[in-house]
């Protein structure tokens, strides 16, 4: 995939030209994975460009930084403003935003108190898992790699180092010809996709693994839970054994990048009819309706 890079990036308080927003090769974050980041989408809506759940994403960035004792030298509102400024500077409406805070140059010890640098980049992402996957769905596989066990790496932090796990899962899936990989937790029970949370449909209800299943507490996951409950659809958070991926009526992944992507098969077994099902379609309509204006924005998510 050829990536169109943005013209401008917000970096440590200034909007810089893309080529000037650089990091030293000895920065702590590069060596040890000591960064925390976010992925956010801005959508074109009838009321102009809106950044979806911006404040919730910025708060999660601070939460990830807190877990790793990484002081961020800005307020939530300052970083929200940085996001707005960088979208405007690049002249984007619909785009993906990537705030990142990292331990910068300041020592080589693992416990070194390095200053935290912060950047916000943005780019035109389009569909993360491919052009027409939202309509057609993808074929997924269960990875041979598990997610990290509790009390090893905190899955609730969106930290750079965690994505070594995600890369193993996603690259293995791609090498084997699948659209995405699904990881089990160290318990052997379902966790999540390489960069997406999972929902299974049984008899008209949504089932999703709990946050204790070594997963990132996704903001899209939370959005779906709220939209479903508001529309009379039952949601059950529970431990789910692997084989229920093959037995459920419908299955989909969700995340800021993947949005709501149906899964039509797992490990070569068709899910339901092998086509995106009615409840998946309903959740997609409610979700994408937030941006077309058909779903009321009752929580003030369009910022
Ligand atoms: N799990 C992982 C591992 C992720 O990287 C992501 C994407 N940030 C998600 C779940 C979904 O989270 P969100 O809906 O907040 O984007």
């Amino acid at each position: 995939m050829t990536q169109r890079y943005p013209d401008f990036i917000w970096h440590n308080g200034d909007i810089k030209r893309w080529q000037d927003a650089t990091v030293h090769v000895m920065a702590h974050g590069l060596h040890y994975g000591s960064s925390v980041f976010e992925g956010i989408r801005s959508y074109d809506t009838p009321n102009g460009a809106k950044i979806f759940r911006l404040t919730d994403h910025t708060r999660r960035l601070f939460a990830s930084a807190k877990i790793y004792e990484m002081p961020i030298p800005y307020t939530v509102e300052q970083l929200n403003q940085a996001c707005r400024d960088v979208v405007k500077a690049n002249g984007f409406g619909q785009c993906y935003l990537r705030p990142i805070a990292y331990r910068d140059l300041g020592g080589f010890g693992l416990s070194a108190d390095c200053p935290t640098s912060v950047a916000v980049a943005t780019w035109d992402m389009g569909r993360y898992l491919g052009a027409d996957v939202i309509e057609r769905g993808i074929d997924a596989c269960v990875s041979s790699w598990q997610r990290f066990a509790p009390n090893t790496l905190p899955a609730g932090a969106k930290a750079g180092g965690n994505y070594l796990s995600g890369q193993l899962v996603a690259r293995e899936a791609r090498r084997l010809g699948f659209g995405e990989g699904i990881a089990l937790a160290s318990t052997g029970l379902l966790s999540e996709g390489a960069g997406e949370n999972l929902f299974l449909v049984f008899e008209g209800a949504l089932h999703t693994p709990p946050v204790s299943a070594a997963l990132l507490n996704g903001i899209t996951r939370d959005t779906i839970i709220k939209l479903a409950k508001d529309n009379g659809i039952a949601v059950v958070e529970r431990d789910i054994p692997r084989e229920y991926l093959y037995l459920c009526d419908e299955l989909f992944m969700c995340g800021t990048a993947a949005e709501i992507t149906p899964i039509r098969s797992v490990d070569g077994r068709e899910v339901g009819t092998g086509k995106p099902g009615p409840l998946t379609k309903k959740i997609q309509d409610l979700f994408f309706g937030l941006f077309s204006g058909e779903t009321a924005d009752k929580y003030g998510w369009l910022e």
Side-chain angles (χ1 to χ4, degrees):
M1 196 201 308
T2 47
Q3 185 68 63
R4 203 190 127 225
Y5 290 113
D7 294 331
F8 298 102
I9 290 177
W10 185 97
H11 190 203
N12 290 335
D14 298 311
I15 297 274
K16 299 182 180 175
R17 292 183 311 162
W18 179 81
Q19 57 269 38
D20 297 328
T22 55
V23 181
H24 197 276
V25 292
M26 291 311 292
H28 199 275
L30 180 63
H31 292 250
Y32 304 127
S34 30
S35 65
V36 294
F37 70 97
E38 275 303 317
I40 314 175
R41 274 190 193 260
S42 164
Y43 286 91
D44 283 320
T45 78
N47 298 318
K50 299 285 180 188
I51 307 181
F52 185 58
R53 301 191 66 169
L54 171 62
T55 302
D56 290 328
H57 279 282
T58 305
R59 286 202 182 118
R60 189 172 65 183
L61 182 80
F62 278 80
S64 301
K66 181 177 185 181
I67 291 170
Y68 281 102
E69 303 180 277
M70 197 184 286
I72 294 185
Y74 301 97
T75 62
V76 168
E77 181 43 38
Q78 283 173 320
L79 291 192
N80 281 352
Q81 192 56 42
C83 289
R84 293 181 206 114
D85 289 347
V86 80
V87 171
K88 279 200 196 114
N90 285 288
F92 287 150
Q94 187 147 314
C95 60
Y96 182 84
L97 284 108
R98 169 54 58 78
I100 180 165
Y102 54 94
R103 290 200 220 276
D104 210 333
L105 199 59
F108 309 120
L110 288 180
S111 66
D113 285 321
C114 302
T116 309
S117 280
V118 185
V120 185
T122 176
W123 62 88
D124 183 4
M125 175 179 268
R127 296 280 184 240
Y128 174 64
L129 293 172
D132 53 354
V133 299
I134 300 285
E135 293 78 34
R136 277 192 306 111
I138 57 161
D139 300 306
C141 63
V142 173
S143 182
S144 67
W145 293 99
Q146 287 182 340
R147 296 276 295 167
F148 20 90
N151 220 14
T152 58
L153 287 175
K158 192 167 169 63
N162 289 9
Y163 286 79
L164 290 169
S165 159
Q167 287 176 50
L168 290 170
V169 173
R171 293 187 68 89
E172 179 184 62
R174 196 181 74 182
R175 178 161 33 78
L176 297 175
F178 291 97
E180 186 57 299
I182 294 171
L184 304 179
S186 61
T187 55
L189 300 169
L190 266 187
S191 177
E192 62 175 347
E196 308 84 8
N197 295 124
L198 291 171
F199 281 89
L200 295 78
V201 176
F202 293 98
E203 296 178 353
L206 292 175
H207 293 235
T208 194
V211 291
S212 53
L215 51 85
L216 182 72
N217 190 359
I219 289 170
T220 318
R221 176 183 182 276
D222 177 70
T223 302
I224 291 169
I225 291 173
K226 290 201 167 77
L227 289 175
K229 287 185 177 165
D230 290 349
N231 286 275
I233 300 163
V235 183
V236 188
E237 292 184 57
R238 63 164 177 107
D239 285 330
I240 304 175
R242 170 179 180 162
E243 61 273 25
Y244 287 89
L245 289 171
Y246 313 143
L247 302 178
C248 57
D249 304 324
E250 302 176 37
L251 174 63
F252 61 87
M253 310 189 122
C254 69
T256 298
E259 298 173 298
I260 297 175
T261 300
I263 300 178
R264 59 187 180 191
S265 77
V266 182
D267 298 335
R269 290 138 171 109
E270 263 188 5
V271 174
T273 61
K275 296 204 170 61
L279 193 50
T280 304
K281 183 78 180 59
K282 168 91 180 152
I283 297 292
Q284 284 182 327
D285 289 345
L286 288 170
F287 178 76
F288 290 111
L290 286 164
F291 315 119
S292 65
E294 276 153 60
T295 302
D297 177 26
K298 69 180 247 195
Y299 299 99
W301 285 333
L302 302 179
E303 295 182 44

